[in-house]
Each structure stands twice: as C-alpha cells, then as structure tokens.
Amino acid sequence: MMTVDSFRKNFPAFTAELFPDDAVSVRLSLGDVFFSKRSWVPENLRDHVVGLYTAHYLAAYGSAEAGGSGKNSGTGMGVVSSKSVDGASISYDTGSTTEANAGFWNATPYGRELWQLMRVFGAGAIQL
C-alpha cells in the first residue's frame, strides 16, 4: 500500500502544511480498497492510480489552509473555459482537454489522468 510519505514524494504539491497526514491517509486507505490488487498490475501502476485518486480528492475538496474550499495553491478546481478581468479576456477549448462523460473526474488534472487509466486498465488492459 502507498504510504503518506511515498504519496508526498510522488505528488509534492500536497505538503503536510496544506494537507494533514490524516486526510491523506484516509484517501490512500480508500484507494487501497477501491483499486483491486488483481486488476492493477504491476504494483507501481496500482500505487500511481491510488496516488491519483488521493490527489484528485484532496485537490477537489481543498487544503486545510483554505478551510476545505477547494481553492488551494497549485491544484485548483474545475476547468476554466473563459475569464475576464479589466477588459482582458481569455478562453480555452475545454473539449480537447477534458474527458467525455468523466463528470467529477474532470475537476482536476489528477482525476482526468485517473479516468484515462481506468478506461484502459480498468477493463483488464484490453482495448478494442
């Protein structure tokens, strides 16, 4: 099972100052249950998937510093399609960077990568 320390090494944005060990540990434990050791082989792939699951939920729900608002530094929430400030505006083609039918998993880059991996490996690594 991935540890809090190994999670922080692989996902350095999730510091102990922003995300308490207990919050990380709970999500890692859930990921350990949800992602079967039989289906996710080799173990380093499974660890990565559990890490993505944990990072997605921590990013989506926010840091301790932000009071759980989802407005933590560097992880954000959701995909911004347009923004205007003082007469300047920018927009993005979110259709090319989001996963169709992924819903909540599109809220973070961790969730989008996890969704892609679940679609490929969740089917037993069989792709037609």
Side-chain angles (χ1 to χ4, degrees):
M1 180 175 146
M2 180 177 257
T3 66
V4 171
D5 289 338
S6 61
F7 171 79
R8 291 193 197 285
K9 181 180 175 190
N10 292 333
F11 298 89
F14 297 91
T15 64
E17 294 78 28
L18 293 175
F19 299 91
D21 287 353
D22 289 346
V24 174
S25 182
V26 165
R27 285 295 167 185
L28 288 172
S29 295
L30 287 170
D32 189 54
V33 171
F34 294 151
F35 295 97
S36 165
K37 291 178 183 176
R38 223 172 15 135
S39 299
W40 294 90
V41 179
E43 189 172 337
N44 63 344
L45 170 64
R46 183 173 179 273
D47 284 348
H48 183 64
V49 168
V50 170
L52 288 171
Y53 170 85
T54 300
H56 172 73
Y57 272 95
L58 293 174
Y61 289 129
S63 68
E65 179 181 77
S69 67
K71 298 178 182 173
N72 50 64
S73 60
T75 54
M77 175 68 173
V79 178
V80 177
S81 62
S82 67
K83 181 165 180 137
S84 297
V85 176
D86 293 330
S89 65
I90 189 167
S91 63
Y92 299 96
D93 173 11
T94 58
S96 64
T97 59
T98 58
E99 296 293 320
N101 302 315
F104 175 62
W105 299 109
N106 276 321
T108 71
Y110 312 106
R112 288 189 294 277
E113 182 180 350
L114 177 58
W115 179 262
Q116 291 169 346
L117 291 172
M118 287 190 299
R119 289 179 46 102
V120 174
F121 289 94
I126 298 171
Q127 200 172 20
L128 301 176

